[in-house]
Amino acid sequence: MALMGQMMGAPLLISSIIKHAARYYGTTEIVSRRTEGDLHRYTYRDCELRARKLAQTLEALGVKQGERVGTLAWNGYRHLELYYGISGMGAVCHMINPRLFAEQIAYIINHAEDEYVCFDATFLPLVEGVAAHCPKVKGWIMLADRAHMPTDPKVPLLCYEDLLDARDGHYTWPELDENQASSLCYTSGTTGNPKGALYSHRSTVLHAYAAALPDALGCSARDVILPVVPMFHVNAWGLPYAVPLVGAKLVLPGPKLDGASLFDLFEREGVTFSAGVPTVWLGLLQHMQANDLKFSTFRRTVIGGSAVPPAMIRALEALGVEVIHAWGMTEMSPLGTVCKLLARHADLPEEAQHRILETQGRVIFGVDMKIVDGDGRELPWDGKAFGDLLVRGPWIIDRYFRAETPAHDDGWFPTGDVATIDPDGYMQITDRSKDVIKSGGEWISSIDIENVAAAHPAVHMAACISVRHPKWDERPLLVVVKRAGMEVSRDTLLSFFDGKVAKWWIPDDVAFVTEIPLTATGKMQKLKLREQFADYKLPTA
Ligand code: AMP
């Protein structure tokens, strides 16, 4: 018989994170921009008390362990209370992305069988639209006080602040099994119906520990952290757990994600660290460049969700902000890899350091990865061979919510991304497998092309998509939104690629557009672009 360890069997629970923050960082602040328009401030101690009142409320409403409670909310203190109150009492906090189509939202609420849905005032019209299609929802809870409740709503509503006021907070967090479900997120699903990733207390706490490590996100109690990445999109990359775990001050931007509002909040609250998708930083950079602004405290940001164009890394660095490129997905809680230099890279010339920092980085402990060819054979880590990226680990999905079969083969989850891995383990995504351009049997990385285009001063945003070609099957088309007030011709832009990529990778044409459609999570919607340009005649065809 194996000799068992003799340590306490304390389960890894989400409630233990907020209990820890309240007990050891009780006076540390959480500052939120509210839908009401003002800035709200309170402490971890206040947050934990209100999360307990929420747990009492849910029990009184008849919510049982394992049942789902939906949220439609911005990054704010009430949403944080939902994260802890719902999961802490043993129910499942289901974050719904309000940017999805109403039909998808109704589908998700019904598939999850949400008992209640808690929503910010902004989403009242959305709730009034979907409620009739969600007959199983027992109640819609508006995250507001009595004074801000609508007088004549089309759906019967419960008032969040009234519900909390009716409770005394005398509540002890239950000792759950750490493998119990804690929260649920659906993938944005560019094709087919969205699919649910059901996280556990154990996977969430382990992920929070790992995310906080110095060579991962690197969170400290001395930081002031502002997650721009929404709490309705993959748990805001785990920051709502990792930040209280380290006891840092948390700043939540609410609905105001434009450059001017973010800059104001960064300066006002002394933010040192942030996280968001590239499109958010585009807006902020534009605002700062137009107004000749500088940050006084902001030093580091994590960027992921889409590949970060090297030009964006340079632009933020010029403002004194270190960019940490990270990769992950809903099915991975989401963190997989983070890009930081190793000690022996310190003496490399700046150019060489940059080339490393542009990759998606190395795995954090807890994630294992490999790349394979079409027959499932593992490919070498030479930085050149590219293949399907597979992952495994304790915070990676085993099966989708309500699926009959596992989401993986032989214990490895196929990410749907195509990547290279270099001898040091730095992974670089070359494409989403659906977005790869297959020209004459060879693959062209759309991300590489976009990165080159994004470095041109007149380019605001660029997407590279495949277009049918009679000889090569597919050839790349570059779709470009020009920077306001700047001009560039097709030929100038194409000659910008000379010497930067292989000749046969250079796009066959450029289409200038006023807007590139974005997905509900701020990524360029290439599927839609491909539809839009389905009949496009390339000059080479
Ligand atoms: P989501 O589940 O919505 O977070 O989307 C996950 C997908 O976003 C991944 O499978 C990648 O295709 C893409 N993605 C996330 N981070 C990056 C990154 N740093 N570079 C390139 N693609 C990324």
Side-chain angles (χ1 to χ4, degrees):
M1 257 236 300
L3 178 65
M4 303 309 285
Q6 295 178 330
M7 294 294 124
M8 291 185 189
L12 301 173
L13 298 180
I14 287 174
S15 58
S16 62
I17 297 179
I18 198 67
K19 266 194 334 201
H20 170 80
R23 191 162 156 92
Y24 298 101
Y25 300 95
T27 56
T28 300
E29 277 188 309
I30 300 169
V31 181
S32 313
R33 174 115 55 197
R34 306 203 294 177
T35 48
E36 289 91 327
D38 57 351
L39 274 189
H40 170 275
R41 358 176 50 95
Y42 74 170
T43 65
Y44 280 123
R45 197 170 290 147
D46 302 324
C47 176
E48 198 251 349
L49 173 62
R50 281 169 54 94
R52 270 187 273 137
K53 290 186 179 184
L54 173 62
Q56 288 181 308
T57 302
L58 295 173
E59 280 193 354
L61 289 171
V63 175
K64 308 254 168 1
Q65 289 198 6
E67 290 183 342
R68 275 75 62 201
V69 177
T71 74
L72 276 166
W74 300 107
N75 292 8
Y77 67 106
R78 292 183 181 122
H79 205 176
L80 195 68
E81 291 158 12
L82 297 171
Y83 262 56
Y84 285 99
I86 299 170
S87 302
M89 58 122 11
V92 176
C93 181
H94 170 207
M95 304 76 147
I96 307 162
N97 187 337
R99 293 187 182 133
L100 294 172
F101 293 119
E103 303 82 70
Q104 277 178 316
I105 292 177
Y107 169 87
I108 289 174
I109 291 174
N110 291 330
H111 188 269
E113 295 189 346
D114 290 334
E115 299 283 313
Y116 288 87
V117 176
C118 309
F119 66 96
D120 268 335
T122 322
F123 306 118
L124 177 62
L126 180 66
V127 164
E128 289 178 329
V130 300
H133 306 286
C134 305
K136 291 213 177 121
V137 174
K138 294 193 184 119
W140 302 85
I141 302 174
M142 182 152 144
L143 299 169
D145 60 15
R146 183 52 49 198
H148 288 88
M149 292 298 286
T151 42
D152 192 16
K154 298 199 188 90
V155 180
L157 300 178
L158 292 161
C159 168
Y160 182 76
E161 294 296 337
D162 278 0
L163 290 171
L164 259 54
D165 283 346
R167 303 289 143 195
D168 59 14
H170 293 310
Y171 178 86
T172 308
W173 297 110
E175 184 135 325
L176 310 167
D177 179 330
E178 65 179 19
N179 287 307
Q180 268 177 252
S182 57
S183 60
L184 177 64
C185 254
Y186 281 73
T187 59
S188 31
T190 39
T191 50
N193 279 326
K195 291 182 284 199
L198 186 63
Y199 312 105
S200 69
H201 285 263
R202 175 187 153 82
S203 71
T204 305
V205 174
L206 287 175
H207 179 269
Y209 268 119
L213 286 171
D215 285 321
L217 306 188
C219 307
S220 153
R222 289 177 297 280
D223 275 315
V224 177
I225 303 182
L226 186 153
V228 184
V229 49
M231 290 166 72
F232 55 71
H233 180 211
V234 252
N235 320 301
W237 300 348
L239 287 168
Y241 306 110
V243 178
L245 180 140
V246 301
K249 172 175 163 182
L250 183 61
V251 183
L252 299 168
K256 295 258 173 137
L257 303 178
D258 61 286
S261 309
L262 282 177
F263 181 75
D264 174 69
L265 200 54
F266 274 75
E267 289 300 300
R268 201 186 280 269
E269 296 302 326
V271 171
T272 60
F273 176 53
S274 184
V277 296
T279 39
V280 160
W281 303 109
L282 269 185
L284 185 62
L285 280 170
Q286 227 172 19
H287 171 74
M288 293 186 64
Q289 283 154 357
N291 296 285
D292 199 18
L293 299 170
K294 298 251 163 338
F295 290 118
S296 28
T297 54
F298 185 34
R299 291 292 169 262
R300 287 176 309 132
T301 187
V302 183
I303 311 187
S306 306
V308 187
M312 179 175 285
I313 301 185
R314 306 282 175 137
L316 279 160
E317 274 177 0
L319 292 168
V321 180
E322 178 198 352
V323 171
I324 303 161
H325 194 185
W327 166 84
M329 61 198 308
T330 306
E331 291 88 336
M332 300 175 66
S333 302
L335 278 183
T337 61
V338 179
C339 197
K340 296 267 177 89
L341 296 179
L342 296 171
R344 67 191 152 76
H345 295 141
D347 297 330
L348 286 180
E350 206 187 304
E351 255 323 297
Q353 288 185 344
H354 263 114
R355 266 200 303 281
I356 298 173
L357 291 171
E358 287 157 14
T359 71
Q360 276 74 6
R362 294 154 46 88
V363 292
I364 44 180
F365 172 69
V367 178
D368 191 12
M369 70 177 174
K370 65 176 178 180
I371 44 174
V372 299
D373 66 15
D375 299 322
R377 272 189 304 260
E378 184 160 2
L379 291 166
W381 290 18
D382 58 9
K384 293 192 192 74
F386 55 96
D388 294 314
L389 179 63
L390 311 184
V391 290
R392 63 180 177 189
W395 57 78
I396 289 164
I397 194 161
D398 178 46
R399 68 181 61 201
Y400 289 101
F401 186 44
R402 305 215 134 124
E404 305 273 308
T405 49
H408 53 82
D409 310 313
D410 318 326
W412 288 90
F413 173 73
T415 62
D417 287 330
V418 177
T420 61
I421 304 177
D422 81 3
D424 288 324
Y426 285 86
M427 184 274 286
Q428 184 153 27
I429 303 272
T430 56
D431 246 314
R432 223 27 228 158
S433 58
K434 289 180 291 226
D435 296 337
V436 165
I437 297 150
K438 295 180 181 125
S439 171
E442 298 290 337
W443 288 10
I444 299 174
S445 157
S446 66
I447 294 180
D448 278 5
I449 305 289
E450 287 155 10
N451 283 347
V452 173
H456 192 283
V459 171
H460 174 63
M461 208 185 265
C464 182
I465 56 166
S466 63
V467 173
R468 289 255 136 242
H469 191 282
K471 178 160 177 212
W472 304 109
D473 274 344
E474 294 177 3
R475 286 295 299 160
L477 168 71
L478 188 67
V479 183
V480 168
V481 180
K482 280 184 251 183
R483 201 176 283 278
M486 309 240 341
E487 269 313 320
V488 63
S489 69
R490 165 194 184 274
D491 294 343
T492 315
L493 200 50
L494 290 180
S495 58
F496 187 65
F497 283 85
D498 286 340
K500 298 193 177 84
V501 296
K503 246 197 159 57
W504 63 276
W505 279 38
I506 299 178
D508 284 17
D509 206 2
V510 181
F512 292 101
V513 295
T514 50
E515 198 183 21
I516 289 176
L518 298 180
T519 67
T521 51
K523 300 174 210 237
M524 294 191 286
Q525 223 172 354
K526 293 201 193 165
L527 186 72
K528 206 158 194 182
L529 275 183
R530 280 196 295 269
E531 282 166 13
Q532 194 177 324
F533 288 96
D535 302 322
Y536 193 82
K537 284 271 164 301
L538 289 169
T540 52

